[in-house]
Amino acid sequence: MNNVAVLGATGSIGTSALDVITRHPDRLRVSVLAGGRNVDALIALCRQHRPDHAVIADAASFASLRDGLRAAGLKTEAHPGKEAIDTLAGGDACDIVIAAIVGAAGLSSTLAAAKAGKRLLLANKESLVLAGELLMAAARNAGADIIPIDSEHNAIFQCLPSADACAGLRRIVLTASGGPFRGRTRSTLRDITPEQAIAHPKWSMGPKISVDSATLMNKGLEVIEAHHLFGLPGECIDVLVHPQSLVHSLVEFVDGSTLAQLGLPDMRTALAVGLAWPQRIASGVERLDLLEHGRLEFEAPDLATFPCLRLAYEALAAGGTTPALLNALNETAVSAFLQGRIGFLDIPALVEAGLAALPSTPAASLDVLLEADTSARHYAEQAIIQMTANR
Ligand code: NAD
Ligand code: MG
């Protein structure tokens, strides 16, 4: 029996993960559930899954969690704050950690799980963008298996399950749906609302990654994620727009072979791979009927309309603290866009201006990376205040 900690349990990936786990009571058990602020949703999940521990990151909500669990007659122990998530992710309460907190907020628990040698199902791509070298080294040193929970990287993992398989690799190709604004010109994107941006044509996801998909920053973050996971330079990581979102990525070898993984766009497949690998277990995802879909189309990404993908490639090439700056500028800009404070096109503009203005230094330590993260958030906040004042 494997004990599973689901961090970010109340979110989109958390919900999909719990759906897969519930299908396999003979092999998987939820032992830890952690959420950000939504106490009622967390208590409802505890009623259903009866974990040993529940954590609410927002410490001010701790009393409601504790009292709610008690009122429900549950033995689940309540904990407040980020440190409790880190301790439980690295402690004896779990063997498998699903890192599904959104944004840089997920880094410390992801690192704790890697350092403790857990099987780490890594959805929190921002932690790889921010501190990829450190995270991969921590996992290597502790013998932690990282299984990517991003459809593209999980596809590549399935095509390249061992380091030996990397010999003779020419390049990998990440597919992209193109997001809700594929085919649009830049001038038509000025007045995009948050509701329009989060209405993804193929995937149902949390608000931040949905906006990232609309700007193509998500694909940019994924290029950096792939660099760390598979040890490839940016030149060997290509992006191909594939509107049907059925081919999740491709791996090309020097002998002319290309391997791909296909399936319906549903994250439960990647989660089932991560939970049982090298075995295969049911995920609840329907089989892919290619006759029903009929067509698989591919086109080049439009970097002029969606500059975020270019900015991410440039950040990867620059190295050092630049990817951490990119991530923090983007997180701050996306959050301001979702709050209606800035426009859609202000997101790439702010990231580009921030990267030009802020110094990049070697990523010598976690502290240096976290300082870069803080300074980029500060820069972005000031820039947003100016943008709103000038409106
Ligand atoms: P979401 O917004 O639906 O859920 C985020 C979860 O994180 C929630 O449970 C929330 O309570 C929790 N959270 C937020 N801030 C927190 C904090 N400071 N401390 C602790 N918990 C906090 O997001 P999502 O779509 O599930 O995405 C989660 C991660 O998975 C992201 O990094 C995203 O890029 C990645 N991912 C998601 C998908 C997808 O299909 N949704 C696909 C690939 C990768
Ligand atoms: Mg993805």
Side-chain angles (χ1 to χ4, degrees), residues 153-165:
H153 308 71
N154 193 268
I156 293 164
F157 170 82
Q158 291 184 57
C159 295
L160 275 183
S162 70
D164 283 350

Side-chain angles (χ1 to χ4, degrees), residues 363-380:
S365 67
L366 185 58
D367 284 345
V368 168
L369 289 162
L370 294 176
E371 271 168 37
D373 176 273
T374 306
S375 68
R377 282 170 204 272
H378 180 73
Y379 171 93

Side-chain angles (χ1 to χ4, degrees), residues 125 149-153 175 203 205 209 213 218-219 222 225 248 267:
K125 64 188 88 185
I149 305 299
D150 208 344
S151 56
E152 301 76 5
H153 308 71
T175 51
W203 293 94
M205 308 182 288
I209 183 175
S213 298
N218 182 49
K219 212 47 56 182
E222 290 184 357
E225 180 185 11
H248 296 309
M267 289 307 293

Side-chain angles (χ1 to χ4, degrees), residues 3-78:
N3 283 312
V4 188
V6 185
L7 315 181
T10 55
S12 164
I13 290 284
T15 304
S16 294
L18 290 168
D19 180 278
V20 179
I21 294 168
T22 311
R23 293 168 192 271
H24 301 281
D26 51 321
R27 61 187 299 159
L28 298 167
R29 173 178 174 269
V30 177
S31 59
V32 178
L33 289 175
R37 317 186 147 263
N38 190 339
V39 183
D40 292 342
L42 187 58
I43 294 171
L45 291 177
C46 289
R47 279 179 187 269
Q48 194 185 345
H49 300 283
R50 304 184 164 264
D52 305 323
H53 303 275
V55 196
I56 192 83
D58 172 29
S61 305
F62 168 67
S64 320
L65 175 63
R66 182 197 55 204
D67 298 347
L69 292 174
R70 209 174 284 161
L74 296 171
K75 295 207 184 81
T76 304
E77 200 179 322

Side-chain angles (χ1 to χ4, degrees), residues 33-348:
L33 289 175
R37 317 186 147 263
N38 190 339
V39 183
D40 292 342
L42 187 58
I43 294 171
L45 291 177
C46 289
R47 279 179 187 269
Q48 194 185 345
H49 300 283
R50 304 184 164 264
D52 305 323
H53 303 275
V55 196
I56 192 83
D58 172 29
S61 305
F62 168 67
S64 320
L65 175 63
R66 182 197 55 204
D67 298 347
L69 292 174
R70 209 174 284 161
L74 296 171
K75 295 207 184 81
T76 304
E77 200 179 322
H79 308 263
K82 177 176 166 24
E83 290 72 22
I85 303 182
D86 300 353
T87 306
L88 286 163
D92 295 335
C94 59
D95 323 296
I96 300 179
V97 172
I98 302 186
I101 292 174
V102 60
L107 174 63
S108 57
S109 50
T110 303
L111 261 177
K115 284 182 183 161
K118 305 290 179 190
R119 171 173 285 213
L120 178 56
L121 276 58
L122 183 53
N124 177 234
K125 64 188 88 185
E126 295 90 348
S127 62
L128 273 176
V129 175
L130 172 46
E133 268 110 24
L134 287 175
L135 181 55
M136 294 307 290
R140 245 187 335 269
N141 292 340
D145 287 325
I146 295 187
I147 304 191
I149 305 299
D150 208 344
S151 56
E152 301 76 5
H153 308 71
N154 193 268
I156 293 164
F157 170 82
Q158 291 184 57
C159 295
L160 275 183
S162 70
D164 283 350
C166 285
L169 183 66
R170 183 185 280 147
R171 59 170 196 152
I172 60 177
V173 182
L174 304 178
T175 51
S177 69
F181 310 131
R182 182 177 65 87
R184 299 268 288 254
T185 55
R186 212 174 144 66
S187 58
T188 68
L189 296 178
R190 203 165 311 276
D191 299 322
I192 291 297
T193 63
E195 291 68 34
Q196 290 169 312
I198 63 177
H200 196 278
K202 292 291 172 187
W203 293 94
S204 159
M205 308 182 288
K208 191 260 177 183
I209 183 175
S210 297
V211 174
D212 285 347
S213 298
T215 62
L216 286 203
M217 181 58 94
N218 182 49
K219 212 47 56 182
L221 300 178
E222 290 184 357
V223 168
I224 302 174
E225 180 185 11
H227 158 75
H228 291 296
L229 287 169
F230 306 112
L232 295 169
E235 301 80 63
C236 297
I237 306 169
D238 282 356
V239 170
L240 204 52
V241 173
H242 165 49
Q244 289 81 15
S245 296
L246 297 173
V247 177
H248 296 309
S249 275
L250 309 99
V251 175
E252 195 182 296
F253 295 93
V254 290
D255 59 7
S257 290
T258 294
L259 300 186
Q261 185 260 345
L262 286 77
L264 293 177
D266 186 322
M267 289 307 293
R268 291 178 299 174
T269 298
L271 285 155
V273 166
L275 285 165
W277 189 262
Q279 293 171 15
R280 297 279 186 170
I281 57 172
S283 65
V285 178
E286 294 287 308
R287 63 177 287 272
L288 169 62
D289 181 348
L290 281 172
L291 272 184
E292 180 195 321
H293 292 274
R295 300 181 78 82
L296 299 176
E297 293 166 312
F298 301 93
E299 61 192 56
D302 176 355
L303 298 191
T305 306
F306 302 102
C308 285
L309 178 55
R310 168 180 59 80
L311 292 171
Y313 269 110
E314 288 171 6
L316 174 58
T321 53
T322 310
L325 297 174
L326 172 96
N327 181 64
L329 291 163
N330 181 60
E331 276 191 35
T332 314
V334 169
S335 163
F337 169 70
L338 285 169
Q339 292 162 11
R341 295 170 66 204
I342 62 172
F344 185 73
L345 292 177
D346 292 332
I347 300 171

